[in-house]
Amino acid sequence: MNSHLTADDSQKLTAWGSTAPSAPTPGAPIGVFDSGVGGLTVARAIMDQLPHEKVIYVGDTANGPYGPLPIAQVRANALRIMDDLVDSGVKALVIACNTASAAVLRDARERYTRKYGIPVVEVIQPAVRRAVAATRNGKIGVLGTAATISSRAYEDSFAAAPHLTVRSEACPEFVDFVERGVTTGPELLETVERHLVPVQDAGADTVILGCTHYPLLTGVISYVLGHGVTLVTSSEETAKDLFRALTNEGLLRTDGAAPEHEFVATGDPEAFQQIAQRFLGPAVTGVRHTRSIAESFPTASLAVVTPEQQMQASVTLPAEQRVHSAADPSPSRSNPDPHGDPDTPRGTSWN
C-alpha cells in the first residue's frame, strides 16, 4: 500500500495556502510527458504492459524540442508540466524525455514523490540497465540530444560499471526529422551515417538510443550500424519500472474497464495528431490544445490560485506578465519565489 502520506499529510497546504493533493489512488490516470511525439514510444509500451491504466499524454510542442535548450529552461518547462499533471490528479509521473530526465529527476522526486507520494519514473536508468546486460565487448555507444549528452547523465549512470567504455554522440538533427515525420530518405541517411562514425570507430556493440524520438528512426540507424550491434531503447524497460512502482505502492488499477487515453499538445494539436497517428495509430484521437493541463483536467489542487491571489502575486512579476495575469483570471500558478525554489509551484506560460 502507499505509505508516503498519512491522513494528516492530506491536509497540508501548498505555498498558496490551497489544500495539497491527497494520496494518489489506483483509479487515477498516469501522467506521461515529452517535448513532442517521441515520448509516445514510452506511452505505447505503457499501454501494452498496463492495458487497464489510463494515460494522459502531454506533448510540450510549444516549447520543444528540449534538446537545444539550456538545462535551466528544460527544468522550468518540465516542472510546469508536472505541476499541472499533479493538479490534474495523476497517480504517477513518467518523464518520457531523456533531456528532461537529465535536467529534473532529482527535483521531481523531491517535489512529488517525497511530498505527495506520487511515483516518478524516468528513461535513463532503464536504458542503462538494459545496455549493461546486452553488451558483449564492454563498449557502449549513446546517441542523444545536445542537452542530454552535455549533462553527462548517461556517463554518471554508468559509473557503477567502470569496466565499460562509453562513447556518447550528440545528434541534434534527429529530433527534427522525427517531428517532421521524416523517417526515411537520402538526407536522413547521410545525417545518420555522419553521426554514427564516432560510435562505430569506438567499436561499440551496443548503442543506446538516448532520446525517446530516436526509436522512430530505428530502421535507418540499424541499417547503418549493421546486424552485429544491439540497439537499446528505454520504452519497454521504463514501462516495467512503472509497473513495479505502481505494484509496490498499491496503485495498480483493478477496474477492468477499457481506459480512454487523453492526448494534449501545448502547440498545434492538429500537427501533433497527424504525426502521432503515424507512430501510435488510431489510439491518438481528439488531441487538444491547452495552455494549462490542470485547466483541462481539474480534478485535484496542488496549488489552485484564486483571481485575488493571482492579482496579489502579479505585483512581483515583470510588467508584461502582470498584464497577462490581470487579464486572465483562470486558475494557474505564478512563482512567488524569485529565486526559483524547486519546492515552489511555478506559473504556466503556455499559449
Side-chain angles (χ1 to χ4, degrees), residues 127-178:
V128 168
R129 288 198 304 269
R130 181 72 186 91
V132 170
T135 185
R136 303 176 301 280
N137 66 5
K139 298 178 181 180
I140 296 173
V142 178
L143 309 178
T145 66
T148 298
I149 299 303
S150 66
S151 75
R152 298 188 63 80
Y154 275 96
E155 283 82 355
D156 291 345
S157 296
F158 278 113
H163 61 288
L164 300 178
T165 300
V166 179
R167 178 63 169 88
S168 298
E169 175 70 13
C171 309
E173 300 100 318
F174 286 12
V175 171
D176 180 60
F177 279 110
V178 172

Side-chain angles (χ1 to χ4, degrees), residues 43-65:
R44 174 78 277 170
I46 292 171
M47 294 172 189
D48 289 342
Q49 294 187 32
L50 297 163
H52 300 304
E53 301 289 348
K54 175 176 178 176
V55 170
I56 299 177
Y57 182 91
V58 182
D60 189 18
T61 50
N63 298 303

Side-chain angles (χ1 to χ4, degrees), residues 34 45 55 73 75 118 137 172 179 191 230 241 287 315 344:
D34 180 39
V55 170
Q73 189 173 346
R75 178 179 177 278
I118 297 172
N137 66 5
E179 290 290 328
T191 302
T230 301
D241 274 14
V287 176
V315 174
T344 303

Side-chain angles (χ1 to χ4, degrees), residues 2 11 17 21-22 29 57 90 117 150 182 208 219 289 325 331 349:
N2 189 303
Q11 301 303 314
S22 58
Y57 182 91
V90 300
S150 66
V182 178
I208 293 176
H289 174 269
S325 182
S349 61

